[in-house]
């Protein structure tokens, strides 16, 4: 009897294996909401937010309790998703908004292209601004409509969207919250049209949609607005809730379309967040936000942290997959996996080979069952994240977190301590050391792609504001007189203690000859304090007689320099005693400080304080008084 049962099972396995998964080449729809927290679905017990179609999707498919984001913010997490790499290997590790993929990088879409898939993307790209090597149409997408730059994506009413690097005007829009054409409707409509247009061939429809990410805008006549109209919450919290329910409705519309086209049984649909939830609308009464993105509504157990850091609150995302007839309905899986795993999962189903340098592992055995896929589910030796000065690494239930450059490593056992409240670092130093060693090996220096045309990219960023210059700069600004200075073109920044990359206030702006741009020190994920430094290569041995400085020319004063030291040396890494120290005053006009001449090739400006006593440093222009040695 046992033998017969065994033979029957084996027979079934053989039959399944004889028809490889890849031969069917399923359509793939991946819907990624921006900033939807783990506990913000009604099927997870959220007491406020109504998500009936997502709840239904979970009931008809598989819901994951331990699926994690590739990173805790938008651009880096998208890069992990698209390339199958963890953030120690990716090209987009900055969340500046337009940081590009390199030209040679493969993505899910470029791989699916090789298997004859039609590929479309709709929403927020975040892996390369216009004019760069990272644009989606150069990375496998036949069609991408939406926002290439993330700052552009802050507005639901921009004057235009971008499709394959061309502008698509949106009627009546003036940027910010001001306009007549809600961009998200245009994006969802285009995605549905793409599915319809490609119903007879395998397709990949990637929908990295922008809601419920703020600005929290949704048309007043959207049906989802009605659901929360009378709730006793702040208006912004009602809007956020409506955006969640709007997304839920639109996910349902995608399912309805697949059903109408007869594609349900041959289409795998994923739905997930992009990074951990934020504590939106936090108050004294609701310290973790009104809707409790990271608080288990049943147990009260919290995930520590939120979007932007590498505690569980920054990494936990909702994740559901549905494929009628292939994924057993009603499953809840505790498999520990993350964004780099999406690429190999999809390529396995499409029958495409993976690039050699990915970090992900296919989860097909979990999705389809180990019997149907003919093998057991492999698991990760470790999962790895880095962002800004933060690092985290997880092996099984153990997780080591390095929360910032001047903080100590922490160690948690998530099985016993899901809230990461009990740091075991001093109790279990060997385990921490082993994880740190893995983390060190997982990190490689970042190699970003490049821009050919920064101006077109800046134009997209200004489109958030309807094309207006948002910086608050007056029409006429002060300038740095050039007389007696080393030529600005000859100067080069060789080191900066930090720069506010996300704001486009990079160190280069201190010496770019443009008074309207400025360098600002970083304030995310943490505010870095004095001293701040710039090291400048003078382009050759020079006699330095002083410095000339122009404070930021917009309305702000943050970072405007008070006291500082100047050091000149022959090597960029061997500075001795300062040549001079001085103090600038609080004014927008050019200021100069002349000191005893000193010779050298490299100048270090060390900034010790700010005019208002704040922790930052900023410079619109810095000139070096002196002459190049002959
Ligand atoms: Ca996000
Ligand atoms: Ca400048």
């Amino acid at each position: 009897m046992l033998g017969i049962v065994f033979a029957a099972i084996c027979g079934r396995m053989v039959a399944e294996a004889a028809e490889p998964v890849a031969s069917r080449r399923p359509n793939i729809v991946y819907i990624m909401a921006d900033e939807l927290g783990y506990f913000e679905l009604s099927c997870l017990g959220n007491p406020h937010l109504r998500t009936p179609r997502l709840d239904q999707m979970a009931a008809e498919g598989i819901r994951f309790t331990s699926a994690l984001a590739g990173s805790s913010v938008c651009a880096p997490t998208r890069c992990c998703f698209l390339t199958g790499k963890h953030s120690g290997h990716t090209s987009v590790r900055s969340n500046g908004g337009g940081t590009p993929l390199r030209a040679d990088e493969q993505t899910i879409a470029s791989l699916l292209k090789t298997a004859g898939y039609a590929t479309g993307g709709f929403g927020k790209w975040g892996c390369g601004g216009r004019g760069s090597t990272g644009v989606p149409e150069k990375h496998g997408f036949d069609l991408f409509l939406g926002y290439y730059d993330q700052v552009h994506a802050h507005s639901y009413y921009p004057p235009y969207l971008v499709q394959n690097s061309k502008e698509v005007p949106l009627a009546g829009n003036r940027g910010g919250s001001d306009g007549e054409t809600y961009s998200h409707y245009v994006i969802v409509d285009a995605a549905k049209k793409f599915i319809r247009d490609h119903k007879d061939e395998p397709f990949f429809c990637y929908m990295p949609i922008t809601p419920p990410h703020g600005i929290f805008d949704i048309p007043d006549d959207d049906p989802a607005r009605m659901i929360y109209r009378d709730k006793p919450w702040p208006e912004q919290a009602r809007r956020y809730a409506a955006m969640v329910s709007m997304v839920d409705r639109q996910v349902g519309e995608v399912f309805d379309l697949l059903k109408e086209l007869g594609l349900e049984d041959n289409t795998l649909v994923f739905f997930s967040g992009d990074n951990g939830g934020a504590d939106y609308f936090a108050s004294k009464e609701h310290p973790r936000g009104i809707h409790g993105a990271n608080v288990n509504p049943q147990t009260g157990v919290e995930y520590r942290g939120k979007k932007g850091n590498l505690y569980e609150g920054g990494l936990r995302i909702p994740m559901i997959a549905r494929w009628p007839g292939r994924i057993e309905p009603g499953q809840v899986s505790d498999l520990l996996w993350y964004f780099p795993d999406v690429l190999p999962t999809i390529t396995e189903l499409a029958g495409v080979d993976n690039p050699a340098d990915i970090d992900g592992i296919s989860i097909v055995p979990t999705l389809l069952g180990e019997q149907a896929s003919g093998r057991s589910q492999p698991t990760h030796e470790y999962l790895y994240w880095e962002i800004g000065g933060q690092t985290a690494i997880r092996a099984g239930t153990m997780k080591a977190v390095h929360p910032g450059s001047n903080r100590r490593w922490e160690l948690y056992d998530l099985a016993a301590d899901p809230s990461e409240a009990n740091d075991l670092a001093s109790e279990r130093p060997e385990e921490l050391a082993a994880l740190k060693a893995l983390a060190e090996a997982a990190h490689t220096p970042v190699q970003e792609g490049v821009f050919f045309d920064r101006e077109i990219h800046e134009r997209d960023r200004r489109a958030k504001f309807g094309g207006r210059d948002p910086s608050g700069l007056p029409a006429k600004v002060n300038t740095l007189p050039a007389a007696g200075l080393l030529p600005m073109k000859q100067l080069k920044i060789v080191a900066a203690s930090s720069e506010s990359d996300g704001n486009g206030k990079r160190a280069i702006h201190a010496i770019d000859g443009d008074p309207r741009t400025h360098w600002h020190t970083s304030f995310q994920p943490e505010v870095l304090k004095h001293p701040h430094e710039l090291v400048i290569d003078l382009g050759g041995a020079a006699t330095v007689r002083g410095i000339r400085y122009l404070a930021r020319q917009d309305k702000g004063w943050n970072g405007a320099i008070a006291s500082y030291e100047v050091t000149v040396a022959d090597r960029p890494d061997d500075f001795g005693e300062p040549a001079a120290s001085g103090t600038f005053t609080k004014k927008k006009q050019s200021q100069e400080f002349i000191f005893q001449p000193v010779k050298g090739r490299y100048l270090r400006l060390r900034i010790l304080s700010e005019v208002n006593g704040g922790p930052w440093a900023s410079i619109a222009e810095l000139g070096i008084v002196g002459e190049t040695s002959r």
Side-chain angles (χ1 to χ4, degrees):
M1 186 61 198
L2 261 180
I4 293 167
V5 172
F6 183 64
I9 290 170
C10 286
R12 186 163 163 228
M13 281 180 75
V14 169
E16 292 278 357
E19 188 182 15
V21 166
S23 70
R24 302 189 183 186
R25 292 201 299 165
N27 307 310
I28 309 288
V29 176
Y30 197 108
I31 307 171
M32 184 191 293
D34 196 349
E35 236 92 298
L36 187 67
Y38 182 81
F39 289 112
E40 292 189 313
L41 303 182
S42 36
C43 63
L44 278 154
N46 192 286
H48 292 171
L49 305 170
R50 303 269 62 86
T51 57
R53 297 302 299 261
L54 287 166
D55 301 348
Q56 185 187 351
M57 179 183 181
E60 293 170 355
I62 183 167
R63 178 171 69 75
F64 291 92
T65 64
S66 301
L68 302 173
S71 185
S72 59
V73 285
C74 290
T77 201
R78 279 163 175 69
C79 188
C80 295
F81 173 90
L82 286 161
T83 63
K85 296 175 193 168
H86 65 55
S87 50
H89 291 152
T90 45
S91 50
V92 181
R93 297 185 214 176
S94 143
N95 203 35
T99 307
L101 289 166
R102 294 189 306 271
D104 58 350
E105 286 187 273
Q106 300 267 33
T107 69
I108 295 173
S110 64
L111 292 162
L112 290 179
K113 277 314 295 173
T114 67
Y117 274 68
T119 53
F122 307 90
K124 179 161 114 179
W125 176 244
C127 288
R130 275 206 291 172
S132 79
T133 52
V135 294
E137 68 270 21
K138 288 184 188 164
H139 288 278
F141 284 92
D142 299 330
L143 170 67
F144 193 101
L145 172 72
Y147 306 94
Y148 283 22
D149 183 85
Q150 293 179 174
V151 171
H152 187 194
H154 289 166
S155 171
Y156 287 95
Y157 295 97
Y160 62 86
L161 289 174
V162 176
Q163 177 171 313
N164 293 28
S165 286
K166 300 268 179 349
E167 292 174 20
V168 177
L170 301 184
N173 285 2
R174 291 171 290 275
S177 300
D178 184 9
E180 289 155 25
T181 307
Y182 188 57
S183 64
H184 175 63
Y185 289 163
V186 175
I187 286 167
V188 172
D189 284 350
K192 289 192 289 188
K193 180 174 186 303
F194 172 83
I195 291 172
R196 212 177 265 285
D197 287 350
H198 297 282
K199 64 181 169 55
D200 297 324
E201 58 189 319
F203 62 80
F204 172 48
C205 180
Y206 172 45
M207 296 174 65
I209 54 176
T210 51
H213 190 274
I215 306 169
F216 303 116
D217 278 327
I218 176 169
D220 279 332
D221 58 0
D222 189 284
R225 280 287 270 162
M226 299 301 127
I227 305 172
Y228 305 98
R229 196 177 38 188
D230 302 321
K231 294 294 179 189
W233 312 326
E235 168 64 6
Q236 294 289 306
R238 284 196 294 263
R239 286 172 178 267
Y240 180 91
M243 291 170 89
V244 172
S245 287
M246 170 184 67
V247 167
D248 178 78
R249 181 186 76 233
Q250 290 159 334
V251 170
E253 288 169 10
V254 170
F255 283 126
D256 294 345
L257 176 62
L258 293 172
K259 189 171 186 180
E260 178 201 322
L261 299 175
L263 297 176
E264 271 195 310
D265 291 348
N266 197 33
T267 304
L268 167 59
V269 182
F270 288 95
F271 177 87
S272 76
D274 70 330
N275 50 248
D279 296 346
Y280 283 131
F281 324 114
S283 61
K284 213 168 161 192
E285 210 177 323
H286 304 283
R288 299 304 308 272
I290 278 197
H291 304 312
N294 278 315
V295 182
N296 186 325
Q298 259 107 37
T299 63
V301 170
E302 298 182 9
Y303 290 136
R304 181 174 177 177
K306 58 186 178 186
K307 174 201 181 179
N309 63 48
L310 298 180
Y311 294 112
E312 290 297 280
L315 298 173
R316 290 267 175 173
I317 50 171
M319 174 72 80
I320 310 171
R322 173 189 181 270
W323 187 2
R326 302 303 299 275
I327 294 177
E328 191 77 24
Q331 297 182 78
V332 177
S333 169
D334 295 330
L335 179 72
L336 175 63
W337 64 292
Y338 66 161
F339 269 8
D341 302 331
V342 175
L343 180 147
T345 300
I346 290 177
T347 53
E348 180 177 348
L349 295 170
V352 181
D353 289 337
N354 290 320
D357 60 349
I358 64 166
D359 299 300
I361 294 174
S362 167
I363 65 152
V364 165
T366 300
L367 285 180
L368 305 188
E370 298 194 338
Q371 202 169 58
S373 56
R375 62 199 179 90
S376 57
Q377 175 64 56
T379 54
H380 285 280
E381 182 195 4
Y382 64 83
L383 295 83
Y384 176 82
W385 300 266
E386 63 174 63
I387 178 78
Q390 308 172 72
T391 310
I393 185 154
R394 177 165 174 182
T397 66
M398 297 306 295
K399 180 175 169 193
V401 183
H402 187 217
S405 44
N406 43 14
R407 305 269 298 274
R408 270 210 282 259
W409 279 82
E410 300 163 4
L411 179 70
Y412 301 101
D413 180 356
L414 294 178
D417 178 23
S419 301
E420 296 166 285
N422 184 21
D423 180 7
L424 303 171
S426 51
E427 271 170 61
R428 292 154 77 167
E430 289 89 5
E431 270 178 82
L432 177 58
L435 285 171
K436 279 168 71 175
L438 285 174
E440 210 160 291
H443 167 83
T444 53
V446 65
Q447 283 182 275
E448 296 175 354
V450 295
F451 273 91
F452 314 113
D453 180 356
R454 279 217 174 251
E455 177 44 35
I456 196 172
H457 172 229
E458 293 299 330
R459 174 176 160 78
D460 292 347
R461 292 166 76 89
R462 288 193 299 270
K464 169 187 176 181
F465 308 94
R468 293 179 297 279
D469 188 334
S471 60
L473 280 165
K476 193 165 164 10
V477 297
N478 297 294
T479 56
L480 195 73
L485 295 182
L486 294 176
M488 297 296 272
K489 279 197 166 58
Q490 170 181 325
L491 307 182
K492 203 175 138 203
I493 301 277
V494 289
S497 54
S498 80
E499 55 187 357
S500 181
D501 191 37
N503 262 352
K505 297 185 176 9
R506 293 180 294 274
I508 177 72
H509 290 133
I511 56 162
D512 65 355
D514 181 355
R516 307 178 78 88
T517 61
H518 67 261
W519 163 61
H520 194 292
T521 51
S522 177
F523 49 87
Q524 281 177 328
E526 55 189 329
V527 174
L528 298 174
K529 303 198 169 97
H530 294 104
H532 299 293
E533 282 184 10
L534 288 181
V535 178
I536 299 172
D537 179 353
L538 306 177
T543 303
V544 178
R545 302 177 185 280
I547 58 172
R548 199 173 291 161
Y549 154 76
L550 188 68
R552 56 189 292 179
Q553 293 296 302
D554 60 2
K555 284 175 285 192
W557 286 104
N558 281 353
I561 297 174
S563 60
Y564 57 88
E565 295 170 350
V566 180
T567 313
V568 176
D570 293 328
R571 288 163 42 112
D573 53 358
D574 188 22
F575 286 100
E577 290 300 304
S581 56
T583 304
F584 288 129
T585 56
K586 187 174 173 181
K587 62 175 188 177
K588 295 287 185 189
Q589 292 82 14
S590 166
Q591 306 182 57
E592 189 172 86
F593 174 57
I594 300 294
F595 43 81
Q596 283 294 321
V598 51
K599 287 179 193 296
R601 166 146 191 179
Y602 297 91
L603 180 143
R604 183 181 69 192
L605 179 66
R606 176 173 278 175
I607 297 148
L608 306 173
S609 66
E610 188 226 50
V611 290
N612 288 336
W616 306 281
S618 65
I619 296 177
E621 285 298 291
L622 184 71
I624 313 299
V625 183
E627 61 275 339
T628 308
S629 304
R630 303 267 161 216

